[in-house]
Amino acid sequence: MSLIEVKNLCKSFGSLQVLDNVNLSVEEGERIAIIGGSGCGKSVFLRSLELLETPDKGQIFIDGEDITAKHADVNMIRRKMGMVYQKFYLFSHLNVLENLCLAPVKLLGMSRDDAETLAAEWLARVGLSSKIHTMPANLSGGQQQRIAICRSLMMKPKVLLFDEPTSALDPTMVGEVLAMIRMLAKQNLTMLIVTHEMNFAREVASRVLFFADKGIYEQGTPEKIFDSPEKEKTVAFIRKLKYFGYEIKSRDFDLLEMQGGIHLFTEKYGISRTLAYRLELCSEELVYEMLSGCYNKTQNNVNISLEISYSEADSSIMLTLTSAGKKFNPFDTAKVLDLEDDDNVHLGVAILKKVAKNGINYEFSNGLNKIQITL
């Protein structure tokens, strides 16, 4: 039996639908990182597990119990989960020890002595024993978040839910909180972590969920999601792709307008001048090659689409050109890279092969020629 089972979960805020038929099974010991763009529903999904957000439809089973059932003992089921928020929510009028002992004594019926012993153990594990009688206002943000995590652990939950636990921290404090979560991961605790820390997600998670389009858009191991994502939006998010597009509908298109757009695109994203020049050169030569190869000289109406994607992650550029018209691969006639060795090679093809050193791919499908060049 799965520790968490989510079936057909839906959630809207007025006319805005955030989650649509989300399904997920979480096994004991799994460490699941939830990633995605702002506003994609990550936090809403996590909060729905504890009914901090009430679903419009669907069921949520926690350790076999349906927390969404009409007569469910929601408070009892919630005790199986520990929630760590963006903000720390420590009681400002209580010191660290009192913050840690309050819930287990009041809700679990733990004796005060046992609670204090357990609190001291957790504080020792996270290197905060010296802060046991300190007031929250005298702690750094990173220390407060570590105390907040300890507070959740004091309830001995079966699963920990982290809602962007480092987003409210100064960058200098993020590392100490992530180090604590890494420590917990080694103890085989079940965790769901909404995070924007991609390297941390890759290192800690056993499974990664990418949220988009009102739910889980793609999921898999960290290696699959971060190294070889299959779906377009996942690729764009992981590689932080930026796009430029230009449509050509007439043979006498405005070349300067196209090149000007490429120039502005490369300046906006800090692409080196050398790479920008190669990109402009490849774009021009490729367009003219396809104009001459796919269309008759007297044919003025054409359909050519130029798209440039730039990855901030590795500074790579993909130039994609799609053209209707006759099937035509401009690289079929090129036998060598150097023009001087083959006088029959078109000048444009020779330039493209020299500049596009990282690979050229061609395919013809559904009446369209498609060429991709990696710079």
Side-chain angles (χ1 to χ4, degrees):
M1 181 177 65
S2 300
L3 185 55
I4 297 177
E5 188 79 28
V6 179
K7 298 181 178 180
N8 303 314
L9 180 65
C10 299
K11 178 62 181 176
S12 298
F13 296 95
S15 61
L16 176 63
Q17 186 167 27
V18 179
L19 300 174
D20 184 19
N21 287 316
V22 178
N23 293 276
L24 178 68
S25 295
V26 180
E27 304 302 322
E28 188 172 355
E30 276 199 285
R31 302 174 306 280
I32 295 179
I34 303 174
I35 63 174
S38 298
C40 68
K42 307 183 299 296
S43 294
V44 172
F45 173 75
L46 206 67
R47 289 171 60 83
S48 295
L49 299 182
E50 284 205 311
L51 294 193
L52 298 175
E53 300 289 354
T54 305
D56 302 325
K57 273 179 52 181
Q59 293 176 288
I60 301 171
F61 294 87
I62 307 298
D63 198 24
E65 296 186 79
D66 185 357
I67 194 172
T68 57
K70 186 174 181 180
H71 299 294
D73 189 338
V74 173
N75 288 329
M76 285 297 295
I77 299 174
R78 278 176 176 162
R79 292 177 190 176
K80 298 181 179 183
M81 296 177 281
M83 186 80 163
V84 180
Y85 304 91
Q86 297 177 23
K87 296 184 179 179
F88 326 120
Y89 296 119
L90 298 178
F91 293 111
S92 60
H93 64 291
L94 302 178
N95 67 25
V96 168
L97 181 62
E98 292 164 336
N99 264 282
L100 295 183
C101 293
L102 182 62
V105 170
K106 294 286 187 181
L107 300 178
L108 298 183
M110 189 181 297
S111 71
R112 177 70 186 201
D113 287 344
D114 287 346
E116 289 189 2
T117 299
L118 183 59
E121 290 175 359
W122 275 116
L123 290 173
R125 290 189 198 184
V126 301
L128 292 174
S129 294
S130 63
K131 306 296 183 181
I132 192 166
H133 298 300
T134 302
M135 301 301 288
N138 296 320
L139 298 171
S140 70
Q143 291 170 339
Q144 289 188 62
Q145 189 63 295
R146 283 188 281 164
I147 297 299
I149 297 172
C150 286
R151 181 178 57 185
S152 292
L153 292 165
M154 290 288 292
M155 295 294 289
K156 301 181 179 180
K158 290 199 169 186
V159 59
L160 282 175
L161 310 177
F162 294 90
D163 186 10
E164 299 188 39
T166 62
S167 64
L169 298 177
D170 183 281
T172 60
M173 301 175 187
V174 170
E176 62 190 76
V177 174
L178 297 183
M180 181 177 179
I181 300 174
R182 288 188 187 96
M183 178 195 75
L184 297 175
K186 293 178 182 178
Q187 298 179 19
N188 208 35
L189 288 172
T190 307
M191 298 189 289
L192 278 75
I193 310 166
V194 172
T195 182
H196 288 292
E197 304 285 344
M198 297 299 105
N199 289 334
F200 168 75
R202 177 194 284 269
E203 177 187 351
V204 169
S206 55
R207 182 161 39 132
V208 177
L209 312 180
F210 174 65
F211 266 58
D213 292 351
K214 305 173 187 177
I216 302 170
Y217 181 79
E218 186 171 358
Q219 62 177 300
T221 63
E223 292 76 18
K224 176 182 179 296
I225 296 299
F226 290 110
D227 296 333
S228 54
E230 297 177 355
K231 296 188 176 182
E232 180 181 357
K233 291 184 180 180
T234 316
V235 172
F237 180 82
I238 296 300
R239 298 179 182 173
K240 297 181 179 178
L241 295 182
K242 307 299 182 183
Y243 293 97
F244 169 80
Y246 191 82
E247 299 289 332
I248 298 173
K249 299 299 183 182
S250 171
R251 181 180 290 275
D252 57 352
F253 73 102
D254 191 338
L255 173 64
L256 292 180
E257 180 184 60
M258 183 185 80
Q259 296 292 50
I262 295 173
H263 180 76
L264 289 175
F265 175 79
T266 58
E267 281 196 335
K268 180 178 179 180
Y269 296 110
I271 297 171
S272 72
R273 190 58 208 140
T274 300
L275 197 53
Y277 172 73
R278 290 179 180 175
L279 184 58
E280 293 173 18
L281 186 61
C282 276
S283 298
E284 179 179 348
E285 295 298 337
L286 191 56
V287 166
Y288 281 115
E289 283 293 328
M290 301 311 283
L291 281 174
S292 63
C294 297
Y295 302 94
N296 297 325
K297 291 182 178 180
T298 58
Q299 190 174 354
N300 188 55
N301 294 330
V302 300
N303 185 10
I304 297 177
S305 175
L306 179 76
E307 183 179 272
I308 297 166
S309 60
Y310 169 62
S311 170
E312 292 183 327
D314 58 10
S315 298
S316 64
I317 292 180
M318 175 72 76
L319 171 62
T320 303
L321 186 139
T322 305
S323 176
K326 294 181 292 186
K327 180 180 179 180
F328 174 68
N329 180 359
F331 304 104
D332 276 348
T333 58
K335 301 176 183 178
V336 291
L337 295 180
D338 196 327
L339 178 64
E340 293 179 356
D341 292 339
D342 187 347
D343 292 336
N344 293 321
V345 178
H346 292 171
L347 178 59
V349 173
I351 292 174
L352 286 166
K353 278 188 166 283
K354 283 181 177 293
V355 173
K357 297 179 180 179
N358 294 327
I360 299 173
N361 293 307
Y362 169 84
E363 67 177 42
F364 183 79
S365 178
N366 298 320
L368 292 175
N369 297 276
K370 184 177 182 180
I371 295 174
Q372 287 188 317
I373 297 177
T374 305
L375 300 180

